[in-house]
Amino acid sequence: DAGVTQSPTHLIKTRGQQVTLRCSPKSGHDTVSWYQQALGQGPQFIFQYYEEEERQRGNFPDRFSGHQFPNYSSELNVNALLLGDSALYLCASSPERYTDTQYFGPGTRLTVL
Amino acid sequence: EDQVTQSPEALRLQEGESSSLNCSYTVSGLRGLFWYRQDPGKGPEFLFTLYSAGEEKEKERLKATLTKKESFLHITAPKPEDSATYLCAVKWGGNEKLTFGTGTRLTIIP
């Protein structure tokens, strides 16, 4: 049973560029959440997708956007990258019927130079 | 203000030396408290979910407990492979998000 998968593993971009990160949820899960984790901090909620719509959003600017596909996979897009966007980006999935517990993927390490 | 506070920030123990990690929260309408383990550069690994005061969960050398204001993660006779950062998170009110603390970095010395 495959867990949550994310791609790519690592990514290096320069300021002003745009990036797309991808996530496939655990089998049987239809809800996907994205988090940003800076070094030494706990993960911060970006947004959650269910039934291809954004269900809740955290305190992140509009430069952060997302999408969920009919197969429940998801993308996180970040435009006009800033140095402060360097972080570990985590995707978590949960089954809608039991949304309390979220299961995380390995993350994508984004470095902005 | 901080809604989830974990202490201590870092803890070094000798192998076999039992201890507890603390997670206090100030949110209202708690729907669940979650413990995760995170190894460096990896995603958080789910450990426990607690829903109500008095509830306890156990897994190998770990035991999580919950009161109305805080949770404890007790580690009994730890081994070096228990070294990791332990994260606490809460789900509360009408939120779908998890609100995390900053974690406790645990190091077990052989």
Side-chain angles (χ1 to χ4, degrees):
Chain A
D1 178 21
V4 180
T5 60
Q6 293 186 242
S7 63
T9 305
H10 297 91
L11 205 51
I12 299 175
K13 293 285 189 179
T14 56
R15 282 178 296 173
Q17 285 189 311
Q18 177 266 341
V19 67
T20 298
L21 310 182
R22 295 175 176 83
C23 170
S24 291
K26 187 176 168 66
S27 177
H29 290 189
D30 56 10
T31 301
V32 173
S33 302
W34 286 92
Y35 292 80
Q36 179 195 68
Q37 187 177 25
L39 206 59
Q41 300 297 313
Q44 298 292 315
F45 177 76
I46 303 175
F47 40 54
Q48 184 181 86
Y49 277 85
Y50 171 67
E51 291 189 337
E52 302 179 50
E53 293 201 357
E54 184 183 286
R55 181 153 70 175
Q56 186 177 4
R57 188 180 183 90
N59 294 325
F60 280 81
D62 291 345
R63 298 187 297 109
F64 289 77
S65 63
H67 188 77
Q68 185 178 34
F69 299 94
N71 67 351
Y72 310 125
S73 67
S74 177
E75 288 182 349
L76 165 64
N77 301 292
V78 187
N79 294 323
L81 285 167
L82 304 174
L83 296 179
D85 295 332
S86 295
L88 181 67
Y89 287 85
L90 296 163
C91 171
S93 74
S94 54
E96 162 59 12
R97 190 172 179 183
Y98 306 103
T99 53
D100 286 338
T101 300
Q102 298 180 12
Y103 297 86
F104 285 82
T108 294
R109 170 67 64 187
L110 173 64
T111 301
V112 182
L113 302 177
Chain B
E1 77 275 355
D2 289 332
Q3 297 171 309
V4 181
T5 304
Q6 292 189 246
S7 61
E9 289 186 9
L11 182 61
R12 291 171 62 90
L13 300 172
Q14 293 291 328
E15 184 173 0
E17 180 184 2
S18 301
S19 188
S20 297
L21 313 182
N22 178 262
C23 171
S24 63
Y25 58 93
T26 58
V27 301
S28 54
L30 183 74
R31 286 167 48 199
L33 185 140
F34 308 84
W35 283 99
Y36 290 87
R37 168 198 169 120
Q38 187 174 29
D39 293 307
K42 304 280 183 67
E45 175 190 347
F46 171 71
L47 294 174
F48 303 109
T49 304
L50 301 168
Y51 290 104
S52 56
E55 189 174 359
E56 299 182 352
K57 295 271 181 75
E58 285 189 67
K59 178 181 179 180
E60 296 181 354
R61 295 177 292 283
L62 298 175
K63 178 180 177 180
T65 62
L66 180 64
T67 73
K68 289 187 177 180
K69 295 289 186 184
E70 59 191 348
S71 176
F72 292 93
L73 185 65
H74 308 277
I75 182 161
T76 303
K79 299 181 178 181
E81 53 262 42
D82 295 321
S83 297
T85 294
Y86 289 85
L87 293 165
C88 168
V90 298
K91 185 174 281 192
W92 55 281
N95 288 296
E96 296 301 327
K97 67 179 181 180
L98 295 177
T99 300
F100 282 85
T102 55
T104 293
R105 189 172 65 254
L106 178 66
T107 303
I108 307 301
I109 304 162

